[in-house]
């Protein structure tokens, strides 16, 4: 039976393609592909229908399914173009075969449906896999990029390092922060690390717990961690939560934290202007003598 | 009474979604920055407890109004293992996951009204309200 249906479809491929194109065109205006130019839409439809028919004919394809999918993915076509297109093909083909059949009983309909599904399903599966494989690829690359951004360490000067944290901290990121912090403290030979949480939207008990653990670990390797950038509303919620941060140093701003870091490392900022002033005063007083 | 908006908690990132929804609704009601932070933190605690201890559940928000005050209600519901000793989990520092154990007592302090109902093997429901001052 299957080969008989196949024969009907292949002999009437022109009619089926025409019906298919008509329906797919009707879909175009209604949704996603409406911004695509007529020419590109037509040529893509032709390619699509060729891909489908070479599959049904079981001949060596001019353009493989992978190539076709890759092209669509690169052009940014939505997956729904493919799933809709194949649904339409399925419907049009089933209708056509049934219209060509002499007697139509439920058994016959079920045979037609089975055959057509057998042609279409592997196509859908494969195309969806190509798409999702591509998405997974993109997601894993973005994840990598995010990870690089998620816990940056800036060695601002000898012995002083800053870790500015921006955005939500989940368990994975918290682990990454800890690793980066310890590794960085050792690599840059830091005496003081300033952990800046200005950009962290919510400090709940989980985030606080991770910060406390990180600070404790930094202490164990012989450095000091100062928590800076605690916004007033965050300070209040931390107090409400009953979290005790008195154990380790905190400063409201990065600037204050940095001054403390300088003190700890036995340095201070000297204003050059006042130095010049002092020098001038000295010279003046010398002249007066 | 407003309409209820809920968010399902299944993955860790759903906690972020719940937090954002809670904060948005709180902002619309007119809560200031500090109370928004309190509410978002309370959402975070309850949603994380669902994620950690009950696998899945949901957090629902509603803008509420009485004759003389407005507020936000937040309900966290799950059908997880439940809590057998409520006074124990309400103690600061009690945790079965080596956490800080400050979540539930913290939420009670962050919000104005707090009600924990739980039955072993049946699940847990935490109802909280924050009034606009
Ligand atoms: N939704 C829940 N279902 C079951 N057990 C819970 C739930 N929420 C909290 N618990 C229990 O209560 C304890 C205290 O919770 P909490 O105060 O949030 O602190 P933490 O999460 O840091 O342990 C948890 O360790 C857990 O055993
Ligand atoms: Mg908790």
């Amino acid at each position: 039976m299957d080969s008989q249906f196949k024969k009907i479809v292949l002999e009437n491929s022109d009619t089926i393609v025409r019906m298919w194109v008509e329906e797919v065109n009707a879909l175009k205006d209604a949704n996603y592909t409406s911004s695509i130019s007529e020419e590109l839409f037509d040529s893509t439809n032709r390619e699509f229908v060729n891909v489908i028919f070479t599959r049904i004919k079981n001949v060596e394809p001019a353009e493989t399914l992978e190539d076709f999918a890759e092209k669509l993915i690169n052009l940014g076509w939505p997956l729904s173009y493919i799933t809709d297109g194949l649904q339409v093909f399925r419907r049009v083909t089933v209708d056509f075969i049934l219209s060509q059949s002499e007697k139509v009983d439920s058994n016959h309909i079920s045979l037609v449906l089975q055959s057509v599904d057998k042609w279409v399903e592997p196509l859908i599966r494969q195309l969806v896999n190509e798409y999702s494989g591509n998405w997974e690829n993109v997601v894993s690359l973005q994840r990598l990029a995010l990870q690089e951004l998620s816990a940056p360490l800036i060695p601002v000067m000898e012995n002083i390092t800053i870790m500015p944290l921006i955005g939500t901290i989940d368990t994975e990121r918290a682990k990454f922060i800890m690793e980066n912090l310890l590794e960085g403290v050792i690599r840059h030979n830091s005496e003081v690390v300033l952990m800046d949480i200005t950009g962290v939207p919510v400090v709940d008990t989980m985030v606080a717990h991770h910060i406390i653990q990180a600070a404790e670990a930094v202490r164990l390797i012989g450095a000091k961690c100062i928590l800076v950038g605690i916004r007033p509303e965050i300070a209040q919620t931390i107090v409400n939560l009953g979290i005790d941060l008195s154990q380790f140093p905190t400063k409201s701003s990065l600037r204050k934290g940095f001054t403390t870091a300088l003190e700890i490392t036995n340095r201070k900022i000297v204003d050059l202007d006042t130095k010049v002033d002092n020098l001038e005063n000295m010279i003046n007083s010398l002249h007066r003598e | 009474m407003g309409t209820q908006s809920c968010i399902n908690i299944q993955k860790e990132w759903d906690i972020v979604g719940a937090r954002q929804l809670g904060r948005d609704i709180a902002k619309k009601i007119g809560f200031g920055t500090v109370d928004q932070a309190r509410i978002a933190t309370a959402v975070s605690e309850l949603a994380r407890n669902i994620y950690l201890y009950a696998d899945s559940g949901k957090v629902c928000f509603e803008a509420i109004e009485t004759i003389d005050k407005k507020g936000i209600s937040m309900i966290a519901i799950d059908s997880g293992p439940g809590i057998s000793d409520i006074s124990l989990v309400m103690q600061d520092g009690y945790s079965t996951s080596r956490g800080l154990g400050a979540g539930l007592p913290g939420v009670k302090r962050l919000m104005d009204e707090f009600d924990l109902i739980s039955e072993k093997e049946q699940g847990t429901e935490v109802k909280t309200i924050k009034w606009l001052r």
Side-chain angles (χ1 to χ4, degrees):
Chain A
M1 272 314 245
D2 188 59
S3 57
Q4 207 176 312
F5 297 146
K6 222 175 234 186
K7 195 159 156 260
I8 300 177
V9 170
L10 293 178
E11 274 169 5
N12 297 282
S13 63
D14 287 349
T15 320
I16 291 177
V17 167
R18 211 189 52 243
M19 287 160 66
W20 183 80
V21 167
E22 238 165 60
E23 286 215 26
V24 169
N25 270 331
L27 282 177
K28 176 183 195 280
D29 303 322
N31 53 32
Y32 48 87
T33 37
S34 55
S35 60
I36 295 165
S37 77
E38 286 294 329
E39 299 87 58
L40 184 60
F41 194 65
D42 287 344
S43 71
T44 308
N45 281 344
R46 257 196 312 281
E47 274 178 53
F48 192 4
V49 89
N50 276 337
V51 167
I52 298 174
F53 272 96
T54 38
R55 261 308 172 92
I56 296 171
K57 272 188 239 163
N58 243 337
V59 294
E60 202 50 44
E63 182 187 31
T64 62
L65 199 61
E66 291 83 28
D67 293 338
F68 178 64
E70 203 185 315
K71 201 183 293 178
L72 286 185
I73 290 168
N74 287 336
L75 287 171
W77 284 50
L79 177 60
S80 51
Y81 168 74
I82 283 175
T83 50
D84 285 353
L86 286 166
Q87 285 307 335
V88 170
F89 178 81
R90 180 175 178 272
R91 192 167 62 236
V92 166
T93 308
V94 168
D95 283 352
F96 187 85
I97 298 174
L98 290 178
S99 73
Q100 301 295 303
S101 313
E102 272 146 28
K103 70 172 193 6
V104 177
D105 54 20
S106 61
N107 184 38
H108 184 75
I109 295 177
S110 134
L111 284 175
V112 172
L113 281 174
Q114 257 175 37
S115 282
V116 177
D117 279 349
K118 217 173 70 196
W119 310 334
V120 174
E121 264 165 13
L123 275 168
I124 295 192
R125 198 170 311 122
Q126 203 177 336
L127 285 167
V128 169
N129 278 343
E130 293 286 331
Y131 260 80
S132 63
N134 178 264
W135 289 329
E136 277 157 22
N137 214 356
V138 170
V139 169
S140 72
L141 283 175
Q142 281 178 345
R143 180 187 221 106
L144 213 67
L146 256 183
Q147 209 170 53
E148 281 169 2
L149 284 173
S150 70
L153 265 183
I154 308 168
V156 271
M157 60 163 67
E158 222 186 338
N159 303 329
I160 301 178
T161 305
I162 299 178
M163 181 181 265
L165 297 174
I166 294 168
T168 294
I169 297 176
D170 61 353
T171 14
E172 197 184 338
R173 189 171 173 207
K175 259 188 238 144
F176 197 66
I177 289 171
M178 173 81 97
E179 282 165 20
N180 244 22
L181 196 61
L182 297 183
E183 198 188 295
V185 165
I186 291 166
R187 179 154 32 95
H188 303 303
N189 196 19
S190 325
E191 252 178 78
V192 185
V193 195
L194 298 163
M195 198 189 281
D196 184 4
I197 59 163
T198 314
V200 178
V202 170
V203 178
D204 56 12
T205 58
M206 179 266 214
V207 171
H209 194 200
H210 281 293
I211 291 175
I212 292 171
Q213 283 181 328
E216 180 59 15
V218 167
R219 195 185 64 81
L220 287 177
I221 57 172
K224 194 166 194 137
C225 184
I226 303 177
L227 188 61
V228 303
I230 304 171
R231 285 173 280 131
E233 70 270 23
I234 300 294
Q236 298 211 40
T237 50
I238 288 177
V239 171
N240 287 147
L241 282 172
I243 297 167
D244 185 13
L245 289 183
S246 61
Q247 297 289 70
F248 70 109
T250 56
K251 290 282 171 225
S252 58
S253 68
L254 182 57
R255 182 211 292 244
K256 285 187 186 140
F258 192 63
T259 312
T260 310
L262 286 172
E263 278 163 16
I264 294 171
T265 54
N266 263 327
R267 282 171 291 189
K268 67 174 179 186
I269 296 176
V270 178
D271 208 324
L272 277 180
D273 276 346
T274 48
K275 215 174 167 186
V276 171
D277 278 355
N278 287 339
L279 213 64
E280 274 173 2
N281 287 343
M282 262 169 69
I283 292 168
N284 283 343
S285 61
L286 280 177
H287 275 240
R288 249 178 264 134
E289 279 183 359
Chain B
M1 287 255 165
T3 48
Q4 216 179 35
S5 331
C6 298
I7 248 183
N8 286 327
I9 307 295
Q10 262 147 6
K11 312 178 292 301
E12 191 177 2
W13 275 89
D14 293 333
I15 299 169
V16 181
R19 220 149 67 187
Q20 261 154 10
L21 181 66
R23 200 192 275 271
D24 283 351
I25 294 173
K27 200 187 275 180
K28 251 183 235 148
I29 295 171
F31 284 102
T33 330
V34 177
D35 276 343
Q36 279 178 38
R38 288 194 174 112
I39 292 161
T41 308
V43 178
S44 198
E45 295 299 339
L46 297 183
R48 184 169 299 280
N49 281 354
I50 292 176
Y51 168 72
L52 282 179
Y53 310 116
D55 274 341
S56 74
K58 61 180 178 175
V59 181
C60 297
F61 303 96
E62 195 174 347
I64 51 172
E65 207 167 345
T66 65
I67 311 167
D68 54 351
K69 50 189 175 180
K70 285 204 290 186
I72 185 171
S73 108
M74 166 174 67
I75 303 178
I77 308 171
D78 65 64
S79 43
I83 296 169
S84 48
D85 189 343
I86 293 180
S87 63
L88 189 62
V89 299
M90 289 311 292
Q91 280 173 22
D92 272 302
Y94 177 80
S95 173
T96 54
S97 65
R98 284 185 293 154
L100 283 181
L104 289 173
V107 171
K108 188 169 180 186
R109 285 187 294 258
L110 287 166
M111 305 295 279
D112 294 324
E113 281 170 40
F114 180 96
D115 197 10
L116 197 164
I117 310 158
S118 184
E119 199 157 331
K120 201 107 187 88
E121 316 296 330
Q122 298 296 310
T124 302
E125 182 173 344
V126 183
K127 289 194 208 172
T128 66
I129 293 177
K130 184 90 190 160
W131 296 112
L132 187 63
R133 251 169 269 276

